[in-house]
Amino acid sequence: MINISPTYFASLFKQAIEVSLHQYIIQQQVERSKFMLSKTDLAITSMADIRRTDQNSQVCYL
């Protein structure tokens, strides 16, 4: 674990990836949803449940 402020981390991330951390997360969520829609037989409601579980896990991790 590194000891830097969230603001500094966000600025480093944007400098390296060229999009904000928030925008990157949204892009990844959209790409994952597209993949799940095209490659699985899951219902949209099931995917929404999976996404909520993922988001809860991320919040707990942070």
Side-chain angles (χ1 to χ4, degrees), residues 2-50:
I2 56 176
N3 189 21
I4 62 173
S5 74
T7 304
Y8 183 61
F9 174 78
S11 69
L12 290 175
F13 187 91
K14 187 170 185 174
Q15 187 176 29
I17 307 296
E18 299 181 351
V19 296
S20 70
L21 179 58
H22 178 70
Q23 189 63 38
Y24 178 80
I25 291 170
I26 291 170
Q27 288 173 350
Q28 294 304 306
Q29 290 173 340
V30 168
E31 291 303 315
R32 183 173 180 200
S33 297
K34 284 183 191 177
F35 175 80
M36 290 176 76
L37 283 169
S38 67
K39 302 294 182 187
T40 68
D41 293 331
L42 290 172
I44 291 175
T45 53
S46 296
M47 285 190 274
D49 289 340
I50 290 168

